[in-house]
Amino acid sequence: MTGPTRLAGLALLLAAAPFARGGPTPDDLAKALGSPAFLARERATRDLWTLGEAARPALTAVAAGADPEAARRARALLDKFDWGVYADTPPAVVALVGDFRAGDADARKAAVTALAWLGEPAVPALRALLSRPDPDADRKAAVFAHLGWVLRAEVPKLLVAGKHDRAEALLSVNAFGPATQGLLDYAVLLHLRGRA
């Protein structure tokens, strides 16, 4: 290959570099939330939604910015992420998160029970729901007490069925609770699995 041919090849590689890296960055997409073109805003919203937590820093920056449309879209996505809802979250989990958010103490207990029964697909949402601050400490304690009861019924079945990872994932959620019992249950399982 001669010198000019090598230079032309190198120029072609450099021109293609942005495409080789996989497209726009989360920062680029977050900036596009304020685009004057509606379709560009919609595409950026969809792409950031698909990125999930990887988009959080860029969305946080735009949510605090001066562009009201971009900030509104960024806050809407961050709100979903804060509740454990992502692009790949199953519809049943999304519905139960909605029930939890809108419900009273009994509705929250019912949603937590149903999420626990759904297993692995619901664990990220359960973690998000139960790790959120709640100004009503009694309500939070009641939800965790109920969850502890549900898990003490469900986890042994999972262990007998050989679904140790699922059992561990569910018990890890209970460790967020205000009582030490959930943490103790989780620690015992980790110890029995040789991971403590």
Side-chain angles (χ1 to χ4, degrees):
M1 200 180 253
T2 63
T5 306
R6 249 188 237 158
L7 288 176
L10 181 59
L12 183 59
L13 282 174
L14 290 174
F19 301 104
R21 69 182 167 113
T25 67
D27 288 330
D28 296 335
L29 292 169
K31 288 175 189 166
L33 291 176
S35 170
F38 174 76
L39 290 177
R41 292 191 307 269
E42 287 293 302
R43 180 172 181 193
T45 302
R46 184 191 68 234
D47 290 349
L48 287 161
W49 171 240
T50 302
L51 285 174
E53 285 296 328
R56 185 177 287 276
L59 287 168
T60 301
V62 170
D67 183 325
E69 174 68 12
R72 181 191 65 77
R73 286 174 178 266
R75 283 192 302 270
L77 287 171
L78 288 168
D79 182 61
K80 290 177 184 179
F81 298 164
D82 289 345
W83 286 97
V85 176
Y86 300 94
D88 60 350
T89 302
V93 173
V94 174
L96 289 166
V97 168
D99 292 348
F100 183 94
R101 287 181 76 169
D104 60 7
D106 289 336
R108 285 178 170 226
K109 290 177 189 176
V112 164
T113 300
L115 287 166
W117 286 339
L118 286 175
E120 284 130 317
V123 168
L126 268 172
R127 272 198 191 106
L129 295 178
L130 298 174
S131 64
R132 291 180 64 83
D134 189 336
D136 186 341
D138 291 338
R139 178 176 62 187
K140 186 167 189 161
V143 167
F144 272 101
H146 179 74
L147 178 63
W149 176 81
V150 169
L151 294 180
R152 284 180 173 230
E154 188 70 17
V155 167
K157 295 177 204 172
L158 294 171
L159 293 173
V160 168
K163 297 178 180 177
H164 302 137
D165 290 339
R166 181 174 174 189
E168 183 179 324
L170 286 173
L171 280 179
S172 74
V173 170
N174 202 25
F176 288 113
T180 57
Q181 191 58 50
L183 188 57
L184 182 60
D185 289 348
Y186 182 51
V188 167
L189 181 63
L190 290 178
H191 177 71
L192 290 173
R193 296 191 75 191
R195 295 174 36 154

